[in-house]
Amino acid sequence: MGILGPVGALLARIYRRASGGGRSRVFSGVRGLSSITYPELKVCIIGSGPAGFYTAQHLLKYHELAVVDIYEKLPVPFGLVRFGVAPDHPEVKNVINAFTQTAHHDRCSFYGNVTVGKDVSIEELKQAYHALILTYGAEANRTLGIPGENLLGVYSARTFVGWYNGLPENRNLDPELSSETAVILGHGNVALDVARILLSPIDLLKKTDIAAHALEAIAASKVKRVLLVGRRGPLQVAFTIKELREMINLPDTHPLLHPSDFEGLKQIVKDLPRPRKRLSELMIKAALEKSPAKEAERQAAASKEWGLQFLRSPLEVIPSNDGKRVAGIRLSVNKLEGLGESAKSVQTEDIEDLECGLVLSSIGYKSHPIDPSVPFDEQQGIIPNNLGRVLHAPGLYCSGWVKRGPTGVIVTTMHDGFETAESVLEDVRLGLLDVSASKGGYKAVEVLLKQRGIRPVSFSGWEKINGVEVANGEEAGKPREKLLDVQEMIEVANQ
């Protein structure tokens, strides 16, 4: 999946090496430390995605008396690894094996089905722990802010990804798939993931852990053409070469890449950094270096097609005659000012309309404030911080997308988590984080949750859910069939 980037098997190996062996290791941006004995440190981590687990792993390794409790609003852990990674990218999900090792650590506990800010407040957690680390990610969507955005057939890519990945809150989305043309706004990895899932042969999807309702809907889908629209040019796309190569090689599809978009770029790309150079060369090759005979043969054999449209920005979603659903999208034609990745798009007076019945907005994720007591920068969509230390809030820390914004790949998140954990440990060493008083930790929180009728799901409870999902998947010839109902998850966990 584009959100998480490099192959998970490699990451799992990196993670395991980081977890043990040797007295001191050095990671980019984080000083290597020998394991040191400190006073007992009780830490609460809010969010169980990669940022949470990487931060926990580093704390457990380098503080021999650290006790880490991970809280998660869903009964199941792993965040975007479970609900964001594309179902046809199982190798990326291998990091779950390493996160499970951390969860099994005798000083680490998982408490699912606990919504911080609702079931228990930040202030109550501050009373129970020496440090709170916010790693709850970016759960909101960036909106287009254009007329027609709320018409039937317009969805955020985040919601659509949650739908096909079995995120409980999105299971009833029922997207409009009855038209031949879909438009995806955005040129990032998530946009390509969504396009690939829409166009993939159903026999390939049947072998993945895609949610059953999504598999059924995509099997009946009328979508045959997907156009990915970006506001800048080919040299500014945000997707990576792996995702592009998958699209180019997708069975039963034909790429629509206009040669005019790539003319004159061969000389320019020679001087680009290697990742951008290789990506651009692949696009140029697909657009300009096609054998006419082979191209005609592939086009005739393909039943579906996809294309990249550059220098276009959405102005308005065009409604159908009854005013209720999508009939098309109006785009401004842009020009570029500046060079390279920093070039900016500027709208011209030219406009064009695309006919379509489905619009998916993939223009980015956005974090939200968790509690009025926690500082939050609404403009940037992050918690203001210095190396993970929340500004003007002693004892509060943050990691992952809520710390730096929804950018980077899983390796970025790993180093980010290590950096935040290192800030916590440094504050303990320097006396900036007071650990002199004993804290109640989960025992204190448990009393509050019982009073409020909240039943947390432990990691062993998650493993019961996991067992049921894998067994259900085996019956369907899939790796797993995810449970979609939160109440059912809780019932299985408490059996």
Side-chain angles (χ1 to χ4, degrees):
M1 155 69 186
I3 294 173
L4 295 178
V7 175
L10 172 62
L11 292 168
R13 291 199 295 274
I14 295 172
Y15 185 90
R16 286 195 292 271
R17 287 194 208 108
S19 298
R23 291 185 54 81
S24 179
R25 298 188 185 277
V26 178
F27 302 95
S28 177
V30 180
R31 291 192 301 279
L33 289 175
S34 297
S35 187
I36 300 172
T37 300
Y38 301 110
E40 183 180 60
L41 171 65
K42 289 194 173 173
V43 178
C44 166
I45 292 179
I46 301 165
S48 67
F53 271 102
Y54 282 132
T55 306
Q57 180 256 313
H58 198 77
L59 287 170
L60 292 165
K61 180 182 179 184
Y62 289 117
H63 193 306
E64 293 179 350
L65 292 178
V67 176
V68 179
D69 293 337
I70 302 174
Y71 290 85
E72 166 62 50
K73 72 173 185 177
L74 288 170
V76 294
F78 309 133
L80 283 179
V81 179
R82 176 178 169 96
F83 295 117
V85 174
D88 59 347
H89 284 176
E91 73 282 354
V92 180
K93 301 182 186 185
N94 288 337
V95 291
I96 284 176
N97 298 327
F99 295 163
T100 297
Q101 291 181 11
T102 294
H104 284 159
H105 194 290
D106 58 4
R107 288 183 281 116
C108 184
S109 298
F110 169 80
Y111 300 104
N113 191 42
V114 178
T115 302
V116 174
K118 176 186 174 186
D119 300 332
V120 60
S121 70
I122 290 290
E123 190 57 41
E124 288 167 335
L125 291 172
K126 286 170 69 176
Q127 296 299 316
Y129 292 91
H130 295 109
L132 269 60
I133 306 177
L134 302 155
T135 66
Y136 58 87
E139 297 182 336
N141 309 305
R142 293 195 180 277
T143 56
L144 295 168
I146 60 174
E149 187 170 8
N150 297 319
L151 289 171
L152 179 64
V154 182
Y155 312 97
S156 72
R158 186 198 71 82
T159 303
F160 192 78
V161 169
W163 171 73
Y164 67 61
N165 272 332
L167 183 61
E169 68 186 65
N170 300 136
R171 63 182 176 143
N172 296 320
L173 182 67
D174 193 22
E176 177 61 52
L177 303 176
S178 61
S179 63
E180 289 197 357
T181 301
V183 169
I184 300 176
L185 302 171
H187 278 171
N189 280 341
V190 175
L192 263 64
D193 280 344
V194 169
R196 193 178 65 255
I197 296 301
L198 278 171
L199 297 176
S200 286
I202 204 67
D203 287 343
L204 292 182
L205 294 179
K206 282 180 180 177
K207 300 172 185 176
T208 74
D209 67 355
I210 189 170
H213 61 256
L215 184 65
E216 182 180 351
I218 292 171
S221 169
K222 299 284 198 304
V223 175
K224 296 184 179 299
R225 180 189 300 108
V226 176
L227 301 175
L228 297 107
V229 177
R231 58 190 171 85
R232 298 194 294 169
L235 299 184
Q236 290 83 33
V237 295
F239 52 74
T240 52
I241 193 168
K242 176 181 182 290
E243 279 71 19
L244 176 63
R245 189 178 290 117
E246 286 177 327
M247 286 300 297
I248 291 172
N249 296 328
L250 192 63
D252 194 31
T253 65
H254 167 68
L256 297 171
L257 299 175
H258 302 295
S260 59
D261 290 328
F262 300 91
E263 288 173 357
L265 295 185
K266 281 188 177 181
Q267 292 301 316
I268 297 175
V269 301
K270 289 181 179 179
D271 298 323
L272 296 177
R274 188 169 183 269
R276 175 67 67 180
K277 177 174 180 285
R278 292 177 63 233
L279 171 64
S280 301
E281 286 174 341
L282 180 58
M283 279 192 287
I284 292 169
K285 181 179 180 181
L288 301 179
E289 300 175 13
K290 300 177 285 193
S291 161
K294 287 184 178 179
E295 187 65 15
E297 182 181 333
R298 178 175 178 180
Q299 191 167 358
S303 67
K304 301 175 182 178
E305 58 189 15
W306 63 275
L308 297 173
Q309 298 213 350
F310 302 101
L311 298 173
R312 302 291 187 272
S313 293
L315 294 175
E316 175 188 359
V317 180
I318 302 170
S320 57
N321 290 334
D322 64 6
K324 295 181 180 179
R325 61 184 65 237
V326 177
I329 187 162
R330 180 158 295 154
L331 305 169
S332 73
V333 179
N334 302 335
K335 63 180 181 180
L336 281 184
E337 289 187 354
L339 299 172
E341 296 187 24
S342 62
K344 294 183 178 181
S345 64
V346 178
Q347 293 183 5
T348 69
E349 294 181 356
D350 296 331
I351 62 172
E352 64 182 33
D353 292 347
L354 289 179
E355 186 177 329
C356 62
L358 173 65
V359 174
L360 293 159
S361 170
S362 185
I363 59 171
Y365 290 44
K366 186 179 180 182
S367 295
H368 60 81
I370 192 171
D371 187 276
S373 67
V374 179
F376 192 79
D377 186 328
E378 291 281 1
Q379 187 171 358
Q380 295 190 61
I382 61 170
I383 295 173
N385 69 92
N386 177 22
L387 301 177
R389 299 176 179 90
V390 178
L391 299 183
H392 313 300
L396 286 184
Y397 301 82
C398 58
S399 182
W401 282 4
V402 77
K403 171 184 174 183
R404 69 177 189 274
T407 60
V409 295
I410 197 169
V411 171
T412 319
T413 298
M414 179 177 73
H415 292 307
D416 190 77
F418 291 174
E419 179 185 75
T420 292
E422 174 66 8
S423 291
V424 175
L425 297 178
E426 184 172 56
D427 288 353
V428 172
R429 289 197 306 273
L430 297 177
L432 300 175
L433 181 62
D434 184 7
V435 295
S436 59
S438 178
K439 293 283 188 172
Y442 178 68
K443 287 184 178 179
V445 176
E446 184 179 26
V447 173
L448 299 175
L449 295 178
K450 281 185 177 179
Q451 290 173 353
R452 295 161 189 174
I454 306 299
R455 298 180 68 184
V457 172
S458 66
F459 200 78
S460 62
W462 146 247
E463 290 178 323
K464 292 178 184 178
I465 295 170
N466 182 56
V468 169
E469 291 184 341
V470 171
N472 291 346
E474 286 178 357
E475 291 181 9
K478 301 169 63 177
R480 74 171 61 240
E481 190 66 70
K482 292 175 185 171
L483 300 183
L484 305 177
D485 182 75
V486 169
Q487 195 55 45
E488 184 181 3
M489 293 176 185
I490 295 169
E491 290 172 3
V492 169
N494 288 312
Q495 286 177 354

